[in-house]
Amino acid sequence: MSTAFPAPTPRAGAPRVVVVGGGVLGVSTAAHLARAGARVDLVTEAAFASGASGRSLSWLNSAGARSDAYHRLRTVGIDRYRTFAARTGLTDRVRFDGGLTWAGPGESYKERHAHELSIGYDSVWLAPEEVASWTPGVDASAVAEEGAVFNPGEGWVDLPLLVEALVEQVRAAGGEVRTGVGRARPVVAGGRATGVATASGTTFDADAVVWATGPRVPRDLAELGLHVPDASPVSLLLETQRIDHPLRAVLNTPRVAIRPTPHGTFVLDSGWSEEEVVVRGDGDHEVPGSTIAGLLEEGARVLAGNPRLEVTRRGVGPKPIPGDGEPVVGELPEVAGLHVLFTHSGATLGLVLGEFTAREVLGERVPLLEPFRPGRFAAATV
């Protein structure tokens, strides 16, 4: 891994930066900072990718309609994955085999397809009988009669394996890595972040702090008296047994979303199954057996050959989504030196937001982040 990027250039008076968060956003930021010559401490409450990054479908896309600024950021994010895969050779964990989507009864994605064509997004309309020639592994009888949208430029990433590779980059560039430190809190003095205190009793001094704790960002900032609207729901991801199957694309169907993994397994999720998860008062979650069985059945129904699927792993917990649906990225206006990362599209934006945040921590202002700064919420409440 370390041979894929130049060795860091020592910076005179390089800042010490503490990055809090073991998911893709935190680890990506730490890797970019370390490669740029900053002195980096990467700390996480538990293990790497043990939160939202470990239970993400990780579909790399900018499909459908969204703000122009958000679409632009996502397309840049996809481009960074292509570069990363080419430079590192890690094409097992970053794939671009396309994405196939079809609508449920009474719905149509023709309008979505037309929108994608109008903005230059690679989009192909397929009749059910054409699907197999574009993306093998789909049961054509499960595809909506009106057809499906295929986006050839889309792909997927295995986030736990990507995080593992990025942690190696942090270490290779001289960064310090600490796991299992317990919950962390920013240390603020005189309106500025001066470090991080952890439940383990260790305190890290810093010139700047990057806060990337996934769905916990709003809670953590609320303790500083800062408001970031939160719409994070519960997510549920199932991983199946290894199976010899030709599907390579990401599927988004009315009742299940599926992607392959580098391990020869599939991961599955859906909106309806997440709604059936029982959230207990102590923050624990209960997933009914009927929900798991139903999701596996839906997965088998859309795969060619309708293979029997068995679950080998499940991940359940909150999925980070800001209240207005747009990313929250940048330095907090109320606390100098405290940079925040909070977004739903952590997979698609993982590499590019790490890069852009590192650049801003080191003194540059990145224009593409202007619409997504956390100060927009303070302005909205005035």
Side-chain angles (χ1 to χ4, degrees), residues 97 204 212 236 284 299 329 351-352:
D97 295 300
F204 300 87
L236 170 65
D284 199 7
V329 189
L351 293 180
V352 75

Side-chain angles (χ1 to χ4, degrees), residues 7-80:
T9 302
R11 294 167 53 97
R16 177 169 291 282
V17 185
V18 179
V19 180
V20 180
V24 64
L25 293 173
V27 175
S28 172
T29 303
H32 281 92
L33 283 165
R35 291 205 307 262
R39 296 174 294 165
V40 177
D41 286 301
L42 172 61
V43 302
T44 180
E45 179 176 10
F48 289 113
S50 59
S53 289
R55 52 177 183 269
S56 168
L57 186 70
S58 306
W59 171 32
L60 303 178
N61 79 96
S62 188
R66 51 180 48 85
S67 70
D68 290 343
Y70 196 10
H71 173 70
R72 187 179 307 114
L73 186 64
R74 291 174 73 106
T75 55
V76 173
I78 294 170
D79 174 73
R80 292 301 192 272

